Amino acid sequence: MSILDSKFVKELSAVTALMYDKGWDERNGGNITVRIDAAEVENHLDTNNVLRVLPLAFDASKLAGEYFLVTGSGKYFKNVIDAPAENLGVIRVSSDGRSLDLLWGLENGAVPTSELPSHFMCHIARLAVDPEHRVVMHSHATHLLAMTFSHSLDERDFTRTLWQMCTECLVVFPDGVSIVPWLIPGTLEIGEATSAKMSANRLVIWPQHGIYGAGRDLDETFGLIETAEKAAEVYTYVQAQGGVRQTISDEDLQALADAFGVVAVPGYLNV
Ligand code: 13P
Ligand code: ZN
């Protein structure tokens, strides 16, 4: 079967179009990497046919031999659906973790997202705590980005506000959100800071830039960012309407966590 008909290319094309439509990923904003099983890649590609070898600026040996579907650097999410082979690529990490084999896509000399160091470091961090982890997603989700200008950047405060804005938030991300300092995108430094947070939280905010999410599949990861972004949107309306007059009490949030069998970050609820 053609790789264009593969589940992984179709799903990534659909989600990038959706994220663009939501206004979260202007121009080339945002990037996504998906870990794919070798057997699934082999259904669509000759894995001995390496199209290009791309250097890697850091040691990814913990991902040696792993296959990823990635978005290209400078590529627009809005264009993926009509031209997947120009905007996406399938890569394999070399055995020494110092280069990538390109097996499909990234046509016309394109390269993987400039945020590959952050993505790979986050994959390594998440795989250490969840062997079923597959997806890292970065987006410039509008209301979350706006909140990083007006809200305290204390992780507990930020998480509590999001939990209070929609009842389902605590159920969807009981692990909360973490926040790194403002850092230069695409650097190893921002990758190290983000991945250090990723062991404990699947959502990491980049102030004045966007958000990182991690999950077991595209739906789960998109849903995670979508839920946090919805809460940030509600927060924006609440602020515009004159601020909070009543909210969900910590006792009610604890009862919610108990009812849904989730554990809130210890110390985040005053109960
Ligand atoms: P890329 O086009 O290299 O993926 O970068 C976009 C982006 O959002 C950087 O943070
Ligand atoms: Zn970005």
Side-chain angles (χ1 to χ4, degrees):
M1 198 211 299
S2 160
I3 188 163
L4 295 175
D5 296 319
S6 66
K7 189 169 174 275
F8 52 87
V9 168
K10 281 184 150 178
E11 279 185 0
L12 188 54
S13 302
V15 85
T16 47
L18 183 58
M19 292 168 80
Y20 174 76
D21 281 346
K22 284 184 164 290
W24 301 349
D25 295 281
E26 74 292 340
R27 200 176 183 275
N28 65 310
N31 27 74
I32 304 176
T33 55
V34 185
R35 193 170 64 86
I36 318 169
D37 285 338
E40 210 177 344
V41 177
E42 282 158 11
N43 282 338
H44 305 282
L45 295 174
D46 172 2
T47 53
N48 294 315
N49 185 21
V50 177
L51 305 176
R52 266 190 285 153
V53 175
L54 304 160
L56 205 50
F58 69 104
D59 177 10
S61 53
K62 287 191 175 141
L63 298 173
E66 292 278 355
Y67 293 85
F68 292 90
L69 177 63
V70 302
T71 53
S73 185
K75 300 300 182 185
Y76 295 18
F77 273 18
K78 75 181 181 67
N79 295 340
V80 172
I81 199 143
D82 290 325
E86 287 172 31
N87 296 288
L88 306 178
V90 173
I91 54 173
R92 177 180 54 213
V93 180
S94 66
S95 50
D96 66 357
R98 284 284 174 187
S99 65
L100 304 167
D101 295 333
L102 174 66
L103 302 172
W104 173 79
L106 297 176
E107 286 179 350
N108 308 315
V111 293
T113 171
S114 60
E115 302 291 3
L116 202 63
S118 289
H119 280 248
F120 274 5
M121 290 180 202
C122 288
H123 282 295
I124 293 167
R126 288 308 303 170
L127 279 167
V129 293
D130 179 10
E132 289 184 54
H133 159 83
R134 287 195 182 276
V135 177
V136 173
M137 182 180 279
H138 165 57
S139 170
H140 301 169
T142 314
H143 299 85
L144 284 164
L145 173 46
M147 259 182 89
T148 68
F149 291 84
S150 62
H151 195 280
S152 147
L153 292 179
D154 176 82
E155 292 173 345
R156 181 176 182 272
D157 287 350
F158 206 97
T159 297
R160 285 174 54 82
T161 296
L162 294 179
W163 284 351
Q164 287 163 351
M165 289 301 118
C166 308
T167 295
E168 297 281 306
C169 281
L170 174 63
V171 179
V172 176
F173 51 96
D175 45 339
V177 298
S178 54
I179 306 175
V180 297
W182 186 92
L183 291 164
I184 308 275
T187 56
L188 299 185
E189 190 187 7
I190 201 167
E192 280 154 11
T194 309
S195 58
K197 299 285 188 183
M198 272 283 178
S199 312
N201 316 94
R202 294 161 300 151
L203 286 169
V204 181
I205 307 260
W206 285 9
Q208 292 84 50
H209 184 144
I211 186 157
Y212 262 66
R216 293 179 170 182
D217 58 36
L218 278 167
D219 261 1
E220 184 189 277
T221 316
F222 173 81
L224 195 56
I225 293 180
E226 183 186 30
T227 306
E229 168 62 9
K230 172 67 181 278
E233 185 173 2
V234 173
Y235 175 79
T236 307
Y237 292 139
V238 170
Q239 293 301 106
Q241 288 174 3
V244 172
R245 281 182 61 175
Q246 55 276 320
T247 189
I248 313 170
S249 69
D250 282 23
E251 287 74 19
D252 283 346
L253 286 172
Q254 184 59 56
L256 178 72
D258 295 343
F260 281 83
V262 298
V263 179
V265 186
Y268 275 24
L269 296 178
N270 298 318
V271 286

Short mmCIF file of all heavy atoms in Angstrom, two decimals, residues 25-32 71-77 111-116 119 138-140 185-186 190 206 209 212, ligand 1:
data_model
loop_
_atom_site.label_atom_id
_atom_site.label_comp_id
_atom_site.label_asym_id
_atom_site.label_seq_id
_atom_site.Cartn_x
_atom_site.Cartn_y
_atom_site.Cartn_z
N ASP A 25 -1.35 27.43 14.38
CA ASP A 25 -0.09 27.16 13.69
C ASP A 25 0.03 27.98 12.41
O ASP A 25 -0.04 27.48 11.29
CB ASP A 25 0.03 25.65 13.44
CG ASP A 25 0.13 24.91 14.77
OD1 ASP A 25 1.22 24.90 15.35
OD2 ASP A 25 -0.91 24.43 15.26
N GLU A 26 0.20 29.28 12.64
CA GLU A 26 0.39 30.22 11.52
C GLU A 26 1.68 29.90 10.78
O GLU A 26 2.63 29.36 11.34
CB GLU A 26 0.43 31.65 12.08
CG GLU A 26 1.71 32.04 12.81
CD GLU A 26 1.96 31.32 14.14
OE1 GLU A 26 1.01 30.79 14.73
OE2 GLU A 26 3.13 31.30 14.58
N ARG A 27 1.72 30.24 9.52
CA ARG A 27 2.93 30.06 8.68
C ARG A 27 3.53 28.67 8.94
O ARG A 27 2.85 27.68 8.77
CB ARG A 27 3.92 31.20 8.96
CG ARG A 27 4.96 31.40 7.88
CD ARG A 27 5.86 32.61 8.15
NE ARG A 27 6.78 32.84 7.08
CZ ARG A 27 7.95 32.24 6.96
NH1 ARG A 27 8.36 31.37 7.88
NH2 ARG A 27 8.75 32.50 5.94
N ASN A 28 4.81 28.62 9.38
CA ASN A 28 5.41 27.31 9.67
C ASN A 28 5.38 26.98 11.16
O ASN A 28 6.07 26.07 11.62
CB ASN A 28 6.87 27.26 9.18
CG ASN A 28 7.74 28.23 9.95
OD1 ASN A 28 7.39 29.40 10.08
ND2 ASN A 28 8.87 27.79 10.46
N GLY A 29 4.58 27.74 11.92
CA GLY A 29 4.52 27.53 13.37
C GLY A 29 4.08 26.11 13.72
O GLY A 29 3.16 25.58 13.09
N GLY A 30 4.74 25.53 14.70
CA GLY A 30 4.39 24.20 15.19
C GLY A 30 5.14 23.10 14.48
O GLY A 30 5.66 23.30 13.36
N ASN A 31 5.26 21.98 15.14
CA ASN A 31 5.92 20.80 14.57
C ASN A 31 5.47 19.56 15.34
O ASN A 31 5.10 19.66 16.52
CB ASN A 31 7.45 20.94 14.59
CG ASN A 31 7.94 21.85 15.68
OD1 ASN A 31 7.93 21.48 16.85
ND2 ASN A 31 8.30 23.07 15.32
N ILE A 32 5.50 18.42 14.66
CA ILE A 32 5.01 17.16 15.25
C ILE A 32 5.95 16.04 14.85
O ILE A 32 6.41 15.98 13.70
CB ILE A 32 3.57 16.84 14.76
CG1 ILE A 32 2.62 18.01 15.06
CG2 ILE A 32 3.05 15.55 15.39
CD1 ILE A 32 1.21 17.84 14.52
N THR A 71 7.38 16.49 10.83
CA THR A 71 7.08 17.63 9.96
C THR A 71 8.41 18.29 9.57
O THR A 71 9.39 18.23 10.30
CB THR A 71 6.16 18.65 10.67
OG1 THR A 71 6.74 19.01 11.93
CG2 THR A 71 4.77 18.07 10.90
N GLY A 72 8.40 18.92 8.39
CA GLY A 72 9.63 19.55 7.90
C GLY A 72 9.83 20.95 8.47
O GLY A 72 8.87 21.64 8.81
N SER A 73 11.09 21.38 8.53
CA SER A 73 11.38 22.72 9.01
C SER A 73 10.94 23.76 7.98
O SER A 73 11.20 23.60 6.78
CB SER A 73 12.88 22.87 9.26
OG SER A 73 13.13 24.13 9.84
N GLY A 74 10.29 24.80 8.46
CA GLY A 74 9.83 25.86 7.56
C GLY A 74 8.58 25.50 6.77
O GLY A 74 8.12 26.28 5.94
N LYS A 75 8.07 24.32 6.99
CA LYS A 75 6.88 23.87 6.25
C LYS A 75 5.60 24.32 6.96
O LYS A 75 5.57 24.42 8.18
CB LYS A 75 6.91 22.34 6.12
CG LYS A 75 8.14 21.82 5.37
CD LYS A 75 8.20 22.38 3.97
CE LYS A 75 9.38 21.85 3.19
NZ LYS A 75 9.51 22.47 1.86
N TYR A 76 4.59 24.58 6.15
CA TYR A 76 3.34 25.13 6.69
C TYR A 76 2.35 24.00 6.96
O TYR A 76 2.07 23.19 6.06
CB TYR A 76 2.70 26.08 5.67
CG TYR A 76 3.48 27.34 5.35
CD1 TYR A 76 4.84 27.47 5.63
CD2 TYR A 76 2.84 28.42 4.76
CE1 TYR A 76 5.53 28.64 5.33
CE2 TYR A 76 3.52 29.58 4.45
CZ TYR A 76 4.87 29.69 4.74
OH TYR A 76 5.56 30.84 4.43
N PHE A 77 1.78 23.98 8.16
CA PHE A 77 0.79 22.94 8.49
C PHE A 77 -0.36 22.93 7.46
O PHE A 77 -0.89 21.89 7.14
CB PHE A 77 0.22 23.16 9.89
CG PHE A 77 1.03 22.52 11.01
CD1 PHE A 77 2.35 22.13 10.83
CD2 PHE A 77 0.45 22.32 12.27
CE1 PHE A 77 3.09 21.55 11.86
CE2 PHE A 77 1.17 21.72 13.30
CZ PHE A 77 2.49 21.35 13.10
N VAL A 111 14.36 19.53 5.31
CA VAL A 111 14.95 18.88 6.48
C VAL A 111 13.92 18.80 7.60
O VAL A 111 12.92 19.54 7.58
CB VAL A 111 16.22 19.63 6.99
CG1 VAL A 111 17.33 19.56 5.97
CG2 VAL A 111 15.89 21.08 7.33
N PRO A 112 14.13 17.90 8.59
CA PRO A 112 13.17 17.82 9.69
C PRO A 112 13.09 19.13 10.48
O PRO A 112 14.02 19.95 10.45
CB PRO A 112 13.73 16.71 10.59
CG PRO A 112 14.64 15.91 9.70
CD PRO A 112 15.20 16.90 8.72
N THR A 113 12.00 19.29 11.21
CA THR A 113 11.79 20.47 12.05
C THR A 113 13.04 20.89 12.81
O THR A 113 13.79 20.04 13.31
CB THR A 113 10.65 20.23 13.06
OG1 THR A 113 10.61 21.31 13.96
CG2 THR A 113 10.80 18.94 13.84
N SER A 114 13.22 22.20 12.92
CA SER A 114 14.35 22.73 13.69
C SER A 114 14.24 22.39 15.17
O SER A 114 15.20 22.54 15.92
CB SER A 114 14.41 24.25 13.52
OG SER A 114 13.20 24.83 13.99
N GLU A 115 13.06 21.96 15.58
CA GLU A 115 12.85 21.59 16.99
C GLU A 115 13.12 20.11 17.24
O GLU A 115 12.75 19.59 18.30
CB GLU A 115 11.42 21.93 17.44
CG GLU A 115 11.02 23.39 17.29
CD GLU A 115 11.74 24.34 18.23
OE1 GLU A 115 12.62 23.89 18.98
OE2 GLU A 115 11.42 25.53 18.19
N LEU A 116 13.77 19.45 16.29
CA LEU A 116 14.03 18.01 16.48
C LEU A 116 14.78 17.70 17.79
O LEU A 116 14.44 16.71 18.46
CB LEU A 116 14.77 17.44 15.28
CG LEU A 116 14.64 15.92 15.09
CD1 LEU A 116 13.20 15.51 14.83
CD2 LEU A 116 15.55 15.44 13.96
N HIS A 119 12.18 17.67 20.44
CA HIS A 119 11.28 16.52 20.26
C HIS A 119 11.97 15.23 20.69
O HIS A 119 11.39 14.43 21.44
CB HIS A 119 10.85 16.43 18.79
CG HIS A 119 9.75 17.38 18.43
ND1 HIS A 119 8.48 16.97 18.11
CD2 HIS A 119 9.73 18.72 18.35
CE1 HIS A 119 7.72 18.02 17.83
NE2 HIS A 119 8.47 19.10 17.97
N HIS A 138 4.21 20.25 19.06
CA HIS A 138 4.45 21.64 19.47
C HIS A 138 3.53 22.53 18.66
O HIS A 138 3.38 22.35 17.45
CB HIS A 138 5.92 22.00 19.23
CG HIS A 138 6.19 23.47 19.28
ND1 HIS A 138 5.89 24.25 20.38
CD2 HIS A 138 6.73 24.33 18.36
CE1 HIS A 138 6.24 25.51 20.12
NE2 HIS A 138 6.73 25.58 18.91
N SER A 139 2.90 23.49 19.35
CA SER A 139 1.93 24.37 18.70
C SER A 139 1.99 25.75 19.33
O SER A 139 2.40 25.89 20.49
CB SER A 139 0.54 23.76 18.89
OG SER A 139 -0.44 24.69 18.49
N HIS A 140 1.53 26.76 18.57
CA HIS A 140 1.46 28.12 19.10
C HIS A 140 0.01 28.41 19.50
O HIS A 140 -0.58 29.41 19.08
CB HIS A 140 1.96 29.12 18.06
CG HIS A 140 3.38 28.89 17.63
ND1 HIS A 140 3.96 29.52 16.55
CD2 HIS A 140 4.36 28.08 18.15
CE1 HIS A 140 5.23 29.11 16.41
NE2 HIS A 140 5.48 28.24 17.37
N PRO A 185 14.30 29.23 20.58
CA PRO A 185 13.79 28.00 19.99
C PRO A 185 14.85 27.27 19.17
O PRO A 185 15.80 27.89 18.68
CB PRO A 185 12.67 28.49 19.04
CG PRO A 185 12.53 29.93 19.24
CD PRO A 185 13.64 30.44 20.08
N GLY A 186 14.70 25.97 19.07
CA GLY A 186 15.58 25.17 18.22
C GLY A 186 16.92 24.81 18.86
O GLY A 186 17.72 24.09 18.27
N ILE A 190 16.87 24.62 25.07
CA ILE A 190 15.41 24.57 25.25
C ILE A 190 14.94 23.10 25.23
O ILE A 190 14.00 22.73 25.93
CB ILE A 190 14.66 25.45 24.22
CG1 ILE A 190 13.25 25.79 24.74
CG2 ILE A 190 14.58 24.82 22.85
CD1 ILE A 190 12.53 26.90 23.97
N TRP A 206 5.97 27.01 26.75
CA TRP A 206 7.10 27.88 26.39
C TRP A 206 6.55 29.31 26.43
O TRP A 206 5.79 29.72 25.54
CB TRP A 206 7.59 27.58 24.98
CG TRP A 206 8.41 26.33 24.81
CD1 TRP A 206 8.62 25.34 25.73
CD2 TRP A 206 9.13 25.94 23.63
NE1 TRP A 206 9.42 24.36 25.19
CE2 TRP A 206 9.75 24.70 23.91
CE3 TRP A 206 9.31 26.50 22.37
CZ2 TRP A 206 10.54 24.02 22.97
CZ3 TRP A 206 10.10 25.83 21.44
CH2 TRP A 206 10.71 24.61 21.75
N HIS A 209 5.66 31.88 23.49
CA HIS A 209 5.93 31.08 22.28
C HIS A 209 4.82 30.05 22.01
O HIS A 209 4.18 30.11 20.97
CB HIS A 209 7.31 30.40 22.41
CG HIS A 209 7.73 29.65 21.19
ND1 HIS A 209 9.02 29.57 20.73
CD2 HIS A 209 7.01 28.91 20.30
CE1 HIS A 209 9.07 28.86 19.61
NE2 HIS A 209 7.86 28.44 19.35
N TYR A 212 4.19 22.49 24.32
CA TYR A 212 4.57 21.13 23.93
C TYR A 212 3.62 20.16 24.60
O TYR A 212 3.31 20.31 25.78
CB TYR A 212 6.00 20.82 24.40
CG TYR A 212 7.04 21.00 23.33
CD1 TYR A 212 7.31 22.26 22.82
CD2 TYR A 212 7.73 19.90 22.82
CE1 TYR A 212 8.24 22.42 21.81
CE2 TYR A 212 8.68 20.07 21.82
CZ TYR A 212 8.93 21.33 21.32
OH TYR A 212 9.85 21.50 20.33
P1 13P B 1 10.02 24.55 12.22
O1 13P B 1 9.38 25.14 10.98
O2 13P B 1 11.50 24.37 12.04
O3 13P B 1 9.32 23.28 12.64
O4 13P B 1 9.84 25.60 13.40
C1 13P B 1 8.59 26.11 13.72
C2 13P B 1 8.45 26.47 15.16
O5 13P B 1 7.35 26.52 15.66
C3 13P B 1 9.67 26.75 15.95
O6 13P B 1 9.39 26.76 17.31
#
